C-alpha cells in the first residue's frame, strides 16, 4: 500500500483572515461585555445573555478553527452557518439604530444607524469567504 503525502495546506485567504479576525474581536467583546449585544438579540428569542455568551464562544471557536489548517475544512461551513444564524441580530441592531435616529437624535445616532445598515450587505461576502475557507 502506497502512502501519499498530505496535500499542501493552502494559506488562509485574505477574506477568511478578515472573518477570523472579526470573530476573534467580536467573540471577546461578546464574553467580556455581553450587555453591549443583548439588545441585538431578537425579542422573540429567550435568554439574551445566554445567547450572547454562546455566540461569543462560537465566534472564538470558529476563529480558531479557521486559523488552524487541520480544522479549517469543518470551520469554514461552521463559520458561514454562524454568520447566517446571527444575521437576525444584525437586522435587529439596524432597526433599533434607525428607530433611535428617528426618535431621539442622540449624539452618535446617525453614525450608529449608518454603520448598522451598512453592515447588513457585508454579511454576504463574509459568509462566502468563510465557506470558501473550508474548501
Amino acid at each position: 500500500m502506497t502512502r501519499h503525502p498530505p496535500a499542501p495546506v493552502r494559506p488562509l485567504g485574505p477574506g477568511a483572515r478578515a472573518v477570523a479576525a472579526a470573530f476573534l474581536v467580536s467573540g471577546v467583546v461578546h464574553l467580556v461585555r455581553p450587555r453591549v449585544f443583548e439588545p441585538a438579540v431578537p425579542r422573540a428569542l429567550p435568554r439574551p445573555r445566554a445567547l450572547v455568551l454562546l455566540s461569543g464562544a462560537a465566534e472564538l471557536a470558529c476563529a480558531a478553527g479557521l486559523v488552524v489548517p487541520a480544522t479549517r475544512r469543518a470551520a469554514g461551513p461552521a463559520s458561514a452557518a454562524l454568520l447566517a444564524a446571527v444575521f437576525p441580530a444584525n437586522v435587529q441592531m439596524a432597526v433599533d439604530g434607525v428607530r433611535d435616529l428617528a426618535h431621539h437624535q442622540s449624539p452618535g445616532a446617525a453614525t450608529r444607524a449608518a454603520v448598522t445598515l451598512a453592515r447588513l450587505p457585508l454579511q454576504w461576502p463574509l459568509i462566502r469567504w468563510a465557506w470558501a475557507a473550508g474548501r
Side-chain angles (χ1 to χ4, degrees), residues 3-68:
R3 292 184 69 158
H4 297 284
V9 175
R10 288 188 354 218
L12 198 59
R17 281 196 307 265
V19 172
F23 275 160
L24 176 63
V25 171
S26 181
V28 168
V29 177
H30 274 73
L31 297 178
V32 173
R33 306 258 339 252
R35 203 171 318 159
V36 170
F37 294 99
E38 287 174 13
V41 175
R43 283 49 158 200
L45 296 177
R47 301 187 5 210
R49 169 72 52 107
L51 291 172
V52 168
L53 295 173
L54 179 64
S55 64
E59 286 178 337
L60 291 174
C62 285
L66 288 171
V67 172
V68 176

